[in-house]
Amino acid sequence: MLSRIKKDIKVIFERDPAAKSMLEVILTYPGLHALILHRLAHKLYNKGFTTLARIISQFNRAVTGIEIHPGAKIGEGLFIDHGMGVVIGETTEIGDNVTIYQGVTLGGTGKEKGKRHPTIGNNVVISTGAKVLGSITIGNNVKIGAGSVVLKNVPDNCTVVGVPGRVVIKDGKKVGDAKINSEIDLQHNKLPDPVADMMLCLQRRIDRLEGRIQELEADKVD
């Protein structure tokens, strides 16, 4: 347990420039507290003490603002930044070196039984307010933009934005000045906007059409 906590603290220093000291991280980071309590609840859940595990998870939610069902499976190196409003469902599986920002939901889409929550790969960044819903798989090295709603599987090395979520970058293409690779890319503020790009394209076409109309009217006058 102590070894896991040390790794969690190291992850915080690696990904959060606001972390100033070990004492500050231990006392004031709700994401760290949520992980520690979840591991306890998860062990109890797996041993059949489901009610006690749920009580601990609800205490966890009250204290940290982060709701993690005790059945969720979480790998190494998860960093929950701030964390208020984060919800992680019962059958969620999270890989290694994943970063989750506040307001993220890893949830289900109905009352179906069995696996009904997402599986998240390694080195994934899920930005503020994003919703990943249903028994879908998010590949490795994926970045999900703020406010996106992801309802379908996402391959490795992709960037997803929008409602519903659409893959806009794949296989090593640039996002701003950062390349997608095996490292964790936390620059979730530098994402393409396909809606804005389409609007710009339409505006250019309108400008060309207006220019052509003016030319035709000028020819008539002549």
Side-chain angles (χ1 to χ4, degrees):
M1 178 66 75
L2 289 176
S3 176
R4 292 287 295 273
I5 293 173
K6 287 180 181 179
K7 289 181 181 178
D8 294 334
I9 293 173
K10 181 181 178 182
V11 165
I12 291 172
F13 278 107
E14 288 173 350
R15 300 186 209 168
D16 187 1
K20 297 299 189 295
S21 69
M22 184 81 70
L23 183 62
E24 177 190 18
V25 169
I26 293 172
L27 294 179
T28 66
Y29 273 68
L32 175 64
H33 306 155
L35 283 177
I36 293 171
L37 288 171
H38 171 70
R39 292 194 186 107
L40 173 60
H42 186 64
K43 286 184 177 180
L44 291 170
Y45 186 85
N46 288 338
K47 290 182 179 181
F49 299 102
T50 56
T51 301
L52 180 57
R54 289 302 302 273
I55 291 172
I56 292 173
S57 71
Q58 290 302 299
F59 173 76
N60 190 359
R61 175 188 179 187
V63 171
T64 66
I66 300 169
E67 182 175 345
I68 309 176
H69 192 285
K73 299 177 182 178
I74 297 177
E76 299 283 343
L78 175 64
F79 174 44
I80 303 176
D81 192 14
H82 297 289
M84 180 61 69
V86 167
V87 177
I88 300 175
E90 179 184 12
T91 60
T92 301
E93 299 178 33
I94 299 176
D96 298 332
N97 303 318
V98 172
T99 302
I100 295 175
Y101 290 89
Q102 63 269 25
V104 166
T105 298
L106 305 180
T109 56
K111 296 183 179 179
E112 66 273 16
K113 301 291 185 181
K115 185 77 169 75
R116 60 190 186 279
H117 298 99
T119 298
I120 309 297
N122 302 324
N123 306 317
V124 174
V125 176
I126 308 177
S127 304
T128 304
K131 315 300 177 186
V132 185
L133 305 177
S135 181
I136 61 176
T137 299
I138 307 300
N140 300 325
N141 310 313
V142 167
K143 185 157 60 173
I144 298 174
S148 300
V149 178
V150 184
L151 303 172
K152 297 180 180 180
N153 294 337
V154 178
D156 295 346
N157 307 315
C158 288
T159 297
V160 178
V161 299
V163 182
R166 301 176 298 279
V167 174
V168 292
I169 295 291
K170 184 177 181 181
D171 291 334
K173 294 182 180 179
K174 289 184 177 181
V175 179
D177 295 327
K179 291 184 179 180
I180 299 175
N181 51 35
S182 59
E183 297 178 356
I184 302 172
D185 180 3
L186 299 178
Q187 292 182 306
H188 57 103
N189 61 316
K190 296 182 178 180
L191 298 178
D193 187 342
V195 175
D197 292 343
M198 181 58 71
M199 294 296 291
L200 183 60
C201 181
L202 290 172
Q203 184 62 51
R204 288 170 179 164
R205 295 188 66 178
I206 291 170
D207 291 342
R208 286 197 296 268
L209 288 171
E210 288 180 343
R212 181 58 179 159
I213 291 171
Q214 290 176 0
E215 290 176 1
L216 292 172
E217 290 178 346
D219 290 341
K220 288 181 179 179
V221 172
D222 293 339

